[in-house]
Amino acid sequence: MIQWNTLNFRRRLLVIMTVSGLFELLVLTAAGFSYIKHTQQSDLAQKAKEVSVFLSRSPEVIQLIQTRQVGEQQKKMRDLTRLIGAAYIVVGDKNSIRLIHPYDDRLGKRMVGGDNQKALQQGLSYISYAKGSLGHAVRGKSAVLDSNGNIIGIVSVGYLLDNLQNRIEPYLAFLLITALLVLTLNITLANYASRRFQKAILGFEPEEIARLYVELDVTLSTIKEGVLSIDAHGILRSINRSACDILKLNRDEVINKPFSTVMPDSDLERLLVQPKPDHNINLYLNGQQIIANRSPIYIDGQVVGAVSSFRRRDEITDLTEKLSQTREYADLLRSQTHEHRNKLNTISGLLQLNEIEKVQSLIGRETEHYQQLIEFLRQAIVDPLIAGLLLGKTERARELGIHLHIEEGCHLDILPVEINAEDLVTILGNLIDNAFDSVLAAKESKQCSEPAVMVSISDYGTEVILEVEDNGLGLPDKYRPEELFEKGISSKAKTNRGVGLYLVNTITKTYHGQFDIINGLQGGARVTIYLPKDQHFYRNGINSGEIK
């Protein structure tokens, strides 16, 4: 015997739909048959009663009972019996003695069935179900009254129930044939529906779906990243434990609710209308700064939802800061080592020449310049990560023979919580490095004799403004300004380039800022970044990142 669990889902669904359809058809057939039987039986019973009433009022029947002279009445009653399709018509006196009966040998005998009392004692007309001498029958009974209203006899008209069964069997055959046709149609439709249903669930078996669901639930609950998904109507359908911890949500309170009410600051529902994936975007949700990847969900080419995975920005901030600081410190130490080696060689030569005063003067100038720079950066730039970057780039510029000028009016106070210092380090570091490359290339091509780069930082007003200007080669003619922000586009004929401005533009758009890049009046290029500080600006989700 085939085991139920060995059948695939389509066949199980087919069997279930077929058996359930068969059961329903059997119930309907039995109900229909019972209704027809009851209707036929009721009709015959009513007919038997009406005939018995009619005969009980017939003068011939009254006279027959009073005179007890049967004569031609026996033959007439038998003809009437055949005419109305009854099993018998019996006429009896007030003692239930048969005067008329289909069989002569039963004349003069007492009527059988025990159901004559209502007629002979109360003078009623009624329907009775009883077993007579000819078998079980439905009978119409009616009392016969004389002209004075006295009960003188009884008329009984009967239809055998066995004959009734023969009359309704054709209806049963019709019902069964109809049921078989409907069952055949049901099997066909069930087969079609089962195929369509299994196709809709991608051919998986129920056990596979259950296993996949459990595996997915366990997987989502164990991964550190937050993961959530919404359906085509923006309803939050799934959210793992990490997502609840990161966004400070209670799963039972938010599941199966509109995501726009759960997280008003999010624009995840935008992917349902504009199904374009987002990668490594910075978001500020529920007081948390996160990095997210978002993608629409497609089934048969239709967007049926969206999924987002994310993690706290501060989890990688420490590591990023340490790596950035280590890189800047390494550059600083390398530059200082190279510069100090030259100074030490000079001091050694002066000592050998016994130029003590010049040695003291050189040491004093170097110390004073370095201390002034550190003191200036300490007062102007509050964030140590950005101050360290500028200090390292200054030493790197001196090593390369470039004059890096940090504008005296620079000022950068404590950054808003939405702006990360490492992002500003990335922006400034890439812009300054590009400026270094540009001025060095201009110096090699003898387009400038004194390469210089100017850096300005300001946070007055509602924006953080970063500006880097150089006297190098300027913007390349073969690229439009907006093309320089595409990944892989570079004016330098080297591999693995074209990433710096792309990263700068990506971070600027993340903060919904503006990007301004033009050629300077004295040659070179000037790049200005505007990053808004207003928290409400971020929460509105307005993407104003653009190129001026």
Side-chain angles (χ1 to χ4, degrees):
M1 179 179 292
I2 299 177
Q3 295 294 325
W4 175 256
N5 292 333
T6 61
L7 296 176
N8 59 33
F9 176 69
R10 185 179 65 81
R11 293 179 179 175
R12 274 185 274 179
L13 186 61
L14 178 60
V15 171
I16 291 173
M17 295 180 67
T18 301
V19 171
S20 62
L22 177 60
F23 177 76
E24 293 169 0
L25 286 173
L26 290 176
V27 172
L28 290 175
T29 301
F33 180 75
S34 298
Y35 174 78
I36 293 173
K37 181 179 179 180
H38 175 74
T39 302
Q40 290 288 321
Q41 189 168 293
S42 299
D43 291 344
L44 290 178
Q46 189 63 31
K47 184 178 179 180
K49 178 182 175 182
E50 292 173 354
V51 172
S52 68
V53 171
F54 173 77
L55 293 177
S56 68
R57 297 174 182 176
S58 171
E60 294 179 352
V61 173
I62 296 174
Q63 183 180 1
L64 182 151
I65 296 175
Q66 290 176 337
T67 63
R68 304 183 73 87
Q69 297 294 324
V70 177
E72 297 293 329
Q73 296 299 323
Q74 181 76 286
K75 181 177 182 303
K76 291 181 179 180
M77 291 298 177
R78 292 177 181 177
D79 291 341
L80 180 61
T81 300
R82 288 191 295 270
L83 180 64
I84 64 175
Y88 55 83
I89 295 177
V90 176
V91 177
D93 61 12
K94 63 179 181 180
N95 296 317
S96 296
I97 302 300
R98 300 186 185 108
L99 301 177
I100 298 292
H101 193 277
Y103 297 99
D104 294 338
D105 60 343
R106 299 182 187 181
L107 294 173
K109 296 182 180 180
R110 183 177 291 276
M111 298 171 65
V112 179
D115 55 350
N116 294 339
Q117 289 81 2
K118 290 182 180 180
L120 296 177
Q121 296 177 9
Q122 303 176 30
L124 301 178
S125 298
Y126 54 92
I127 296 172
S128 172
Y129 294 89
K131 182 178 180 181
S133 61
L134 299 180
H136 289 280
V138 52
R139 305 194 278 194
K141 299 278 187 175
S142 183
V144 181
L145 306 178
D146 61 12
S147 59
N148 296 323
N150 298 318
I151 301 173
I152 61 174
I154 184 172
V155 175
S156 177
V157 180
Y159 289 88
L160 294 178
L161 294 180
D162 291 340
N163 295 337
L164 175 64
Q165 189 73 20
N166 295 332
R167 295 182 62 177
I168 64 176
E169 282 181 356
Y171 294 100
L172 178 60
F174 174 77
L175 289 174
L176 290 176
I177 292 173
T178 303
L180 289 175
L181 292 176
V182 174
L183 180 61
T184 302
L185 179 61
N186 181 71
I187 293 174
T188 303
L189 293 177
N191 184 56
Y192 173 77
S194 62
R195 288 179 181 274
R196 293 281 297 179
F197 193 81
Q198 189 161 35
K199 182 180 179 181
I201 60 175
L202 306 179
F204 286 108
E205 297 296 321
E207 295 80 8
E208 293 176 328
I209 295 176
R211 188 182 69 253
L212 288 174
Y213 177 82
V214 173
E215 291 176 355
L216 179 62
D217 188 57
V218 173
T219 301
L220 290 178
S221 64
T222 55
I223 62 176
K224 192 174 183 180
E225 282 197 350
V227 179
L228 59 85
S229 65
I230 60 174
D231 63 13
H233 303 290
I235 305 299
L236 181 64
R237 291 304 184 189
S238 66
I239 182 169
N240 69 344
R241 186 184 307 165
S242 296
C244 292
D245 293 340
I246 294 173
L247 299 178
K248 300 177 181 179
L249 299 174
N250 186 324
R251 187 181 187 280
D252 296 333
E253 295 178 356
V254 301
I255 199 69
N256 294 328
K257 291 186 177 180
F259 191 62
S260 57
T261 61
V262 174
M263 198 62 56
D265 298 340
S266 175
D267 62 342
L268 181 60
E269 293 180 348
R270 175 182 61 81
L271 272 69
L272 303 176
V273 181
Q274 301 175 352
K276 182 180 179 181
D278 295 323
H279 300 289
N280 296 324
I281 62 173
N282 288 272
L283 298 174
Y284 188 72
L285 299 177
N286 206 22
Q288 300 293 321
Q289 193 148 23
I290 62 175
I291 298 177
N293 293 295
R294 308 186 300 186
S295 178
I297 302 173
Y298 290 93
I299 293 182
D300 294 332
Q302 298 293 325
V303 178
V304 298
V307 63
S308 176
S309 63
F310 51 90
R311 61 191 182 278
R312 286 192 182 94
R313 182 65 184 263
D314 56 12
E315 291 181 353
I316 60 174
T317 296
D318 293 340
L319 180 59
T320 303
E321 288 182 354
K322 290 178 181 179
L323 291 175
S324 299
Q325 290 175 349
T326 302
R327 184 183 64 184
E328 297 303 328
Y329 290 156
D331 290 342
L332 176 62
L333 290 175
R334 181 171 53 82
S335 300
Q336 289 180 339
T337 300
H338 187 272
E339 186 68 17
H340 289 166
R341 184 183 296 113
N342 293 333
K343 296 296 187 294
L344 289 175
N345 290 334
T346 302
I347 292 172
S348 176
L350 291 174
L351 288 175
Q352 292 179 16
L353 296 174
N354 202 26
E355 298 287 344
I356 304 301
E357 293 181 0
K358 292 183 178 181
V359 170
Q360 294 175 342
S361 176
L362 176 62
I363 294 174
R365 287 199 307 271
E366 290 297 321
T367 303
E368 181 180 5
H369 168 76
Y370 197 71
Q371 290 300 322
Q372 287 178 349
L373 178 61
I374 293 177
E375 187 64 25
F376 167 72
L377 291 176
R378 183 180 299 160
Q379 294 179 0
I381 309 298
V382 174
D383 193 281
L385 194 62
I386 300 174
L389 168 74
L390 296 177
L391 183 61
K393 293 301 182 183
T394 300
E395 293 299 322
R396 177 61 177 165
R398 291 180 62 185
E399 178 185 352
L400 297 174
I402 301 171
H403 176 64
L404 177 62
H405 176 67
I406 301 175
E407 194 176 61
E408 293 182 359
C410 284
H411 180 271
L412 184 62
D413 208 338
I414 298 174
L415 292 172
V417 66
E418 294 88 356
I419 300 180
N420 289 298
E422 63 268 19
D423 288 335
L424 299 189
V425 168
T426 300
I427 293 174
L428 282 174
N430 280 286
L431 294 181
I432 293 173
D433 287 341
N434 284 346
F436 284 176
D437 292 339
S438 180
V439 296
L440 289 177
K443 183 178 181 180
E444 290 179 3
S445 61
K446 299 182 180 180
Q447 295 185 26
C448 74
S449 57
E450 295 182 0
V453 175
M454 186 191 74
V455 177
S456 174
I457 303 176
S458 172
D459 65 347
Y460 297 110
T462 60
E463 296 177 315
V464 174
I465 302 175
L466 310 176
E467 184 173 275
V468 177
E469 185 175 2
D470 62 71
N471 62 348
L473 297 176
L475 300 178
D477 295 333
K478 63 179 180 178
Y479 296 118
R480 297 191 306 274
E482 58 270 19
E483 291 181 330
L484 294 173
F485 306 116
E486 297 179 6
K487 191 172 184 180
I489 299 297
S490 175
S491 60
K492 310 173 186 67
K494 298 180 181 179
T495 59
N496 299 324
R497 305 304 293 261
V499 178
L501 286 180
Y502 168 77
L503 291 175
V504 172
N505 187 41
T506 300
I507 296 174
T508 302
K509 286 186 176 181
T510 298
Y511 289 106
H512 311 292
Q514 295 180 344
F515 203 126
D516 185 1
I517 178 169
I518 60 173
N519 280 317
L521 297 177
Q522 305 299 325
R526 184 179 67 195
V527 182
T528 308
I529 305 294
Y530 302 89
L531 303 178
K533 296 188 293 183
D534 188 6
Q535 297 182 11
H536 181 70
F537 187 86
Y538 295 101
R539 294 176 183 176
N540 284 340
I542 303 173
N543 189 356
S544 60
E546 60 181 34
I547 304 166
K548 289 186 176 180

